[in-house]
Amino acid sequence: MGFAFSNDLTLDSSAFAAEGAIPSKHTGEGEDVSPALSWKNAPAGTKSYAVICHDPDAPLISANGTYGFVHWVLYNIPGDVSALSEGCGDYTQGKNNFGNLGYNGPMPPEGHGQHKYYFWVIALDAELNLPAGLNLWQLLEKIEPNATAMNRLIGTYKRG
């Protein structure tokens, strides 16, 4: 199976433009708080959402065949929600690749150049009430049958 659908779901942030630089406030070099996000045009029948942030440019390959670095895994977001405030601590936090629950922002290795950070919103047709602490790959396995739409917002960051 897998995610294969076209949709009108859009994701935006008041903190940065698509393909724009992520302010240092939202990185490991700043306050390290998640950026405000908002989405619209979810499919009818959406019951919940998940939000993730992944850096595919990170030089990390795991034994299970996954790649990149996961910065945020957030889920069990109710279907009537269409925005996350800056520094969002609501809903259910999964585990990032720093080994923490919640958001830890961009912090690419020194001298590694600019990385792209993919913020994804995924619309689901069910309330799955998943437990806290899932990593990205565990989450995707559990939500894949219920995903009805997804889209991304890409931001960039380069260590100063």
Side-chain angles (χ1 to χ4, degrees):
M1 290 275 295
F3 300 114
F5 36 68
S6 62
N7 64 79
D8 298 319
L9 183 64
T10 60
L11 178 61
D12 294 292
S13 176
S14 57
F16 61 95
E19 302 284 342
I22 298 170
S24 63
K25 177 180 190 177
H26 304 294
T27 75
E29 294 188 288
E31 293 176 42
D32 210 8
V33 293
S34 61
L37 298 172
S38 62
W39 54 89
K40 59 187 178 193
N41 302 324
T46 296
K47 301 273 195 300
S48 65
Y49 297 95
V51 170
I52 58 177
C53 178
H54 180 249
D55 171 9
D57 296 328
L60 179 67
I61 298 174
S62 302
N64 63 358
T66 62
Y67 68 95
F69 199 91
V70 178
H71 289 269
W72 199 18
V73 183
L74 185 69
Y75 45 96
N76 295 335
I77 303 168
D80 61 354
V81 171
S82 61
L84 301 177
S85 61
E86 178 180 283
C88 178
D90 299 328
Y91 316 114
T92 306
Q93 304 282 351
K95 189 174 284 191
N96 63 38
N97 279 149
F98 289 102
N100 301 324
L101 294 181
Y103 177 86
N104 287 120
M107 196 148 154
E110 293 275 0
H112 208 258
Q114 179 176 280
H115 283 211
K116 289 187 175 183
Y117 296 84
Y118 289 68
F119 288 83
W120 290 92
V121 62
I122 304 167
L124 307 170
D125 64 5
E127 291 180 55
L128 300 176
N129 298 312
L130 298 169
L134 297 177
N135 68 32
L136 172 60
W137 315 108
Q138 291 167 328
L139 176 69
L140 292 178
E141 183 179 337
K142 295 204 179 299
I143 68 174
E144 189 272 333
N146 300 98
T148 56
M150 65 188 291
N151 211 335
R152 68 186 185 203
L153 172 66
I154 302 171
T156 62
Y157 188 71
K158 181 179 178 181
R159 265 219 25 220

